[in-house]
Each structure stands twice: as structure tokens, then as C-alpha cells.
Amino acid sequence: MKITASLVAALTVSLVAGTASAQDARIRWGDLDLSSAAGAAAFDARVAAAASRMCRGVKRPASRINDRAFCRTAFRDEAVRQLPGAVQVDYALSRLPVVL
């Protein structure tokens, strides 16, 4: 399913960095066809780039230990969660392996 221009063209993701502040990242996806493997891969690359910026120095909740992997996973999960339902389905289906 091709994403139409009438859909919101940006996704806002909020993560709590430590316990004191929140940051926002905007990830554009309106120009991508998330039902295709190429579109989903481009979305993944945008999410990974934003997660790298957002997760610098982030600590796991209730811990003093830096945990960028935890942050990146949480960031990716939240980004996908905020996509509209039908787009989430298209994205998930495009990530399945092709069996011939």
C-alpha cells in the first residue's frame, strides 16, 4: 500500500533520557512505501540514525549504566508503534523473509 500525501509526513518519538528530560525526534516516512522491502529498509535506516543521536549518554531506567542498545531498541519500538495501524501492518509484512 502506497502512503498517500494526505497522511502526516513526520513521526514524533519521545524518549526519556534519565529521569529529568525528554527529547523529540522527527522521522520522515511519508515519502516511503513501507510495504516494500526497500521502503522498510530506508525507514529502518532513518530510525537508526535518529536513535544514534538520541541515545548518546542515555542510561537504562533506575540504573547508572549507559545502555545505548536498550535505548535504540526502545526508540525503534516506539517509532514503529507510532505509525498508523495499516502502515504498521505493511511495514511488518515487508520485513518477513520471502520464501520461494
Side-chain angles (χ1 to χ4, degrees):
M1 179 175 155
K2 182 72 176 159
I3 298 170
T4 62
S6 64
L7 292 176
V8 177
L11 168 70
T12 302
V13 179
S14 298
L15 285 179
V16 176
T19 57
S21 65
Q23 299 174 339
D24 291 327
R26 296 184 68 76
I27 302 166
R28 299 202 180 282
W29 58 270
D31 61 328
L32 301 174
D33 178 4
L34 296 185
S35 67
S36 72
F43 177 75
D44 289 342
R46 291 176 188 183
V47 169
S52 290
R53 289 188 306 272
M54 298 292 288
C55 292
R56 289 186 186 124
V58 171
K59 296 174 180 28
R60 185 181 287 251
S63 175
R64 294 182 180 195
I65 299 170
N66 285 347
D67 194 344
R68 291 183 80 181
F70 170 80
C71 177
R72 287 178 178 171
T73 299
F75 187 93
R76 183 196 165 283
D77 291 348
E78 182 64 12
V80 172
R81 187 191 70 75
Q82 289 192 29
L83 291 170
V87 178
Q88 284 183 31
V89 171
D90 288 342
Y91 172 78
L93 290 174
S94 72
R95 305 315 291 154
L96 294 175
V98 176
V99 179
L100 300 175

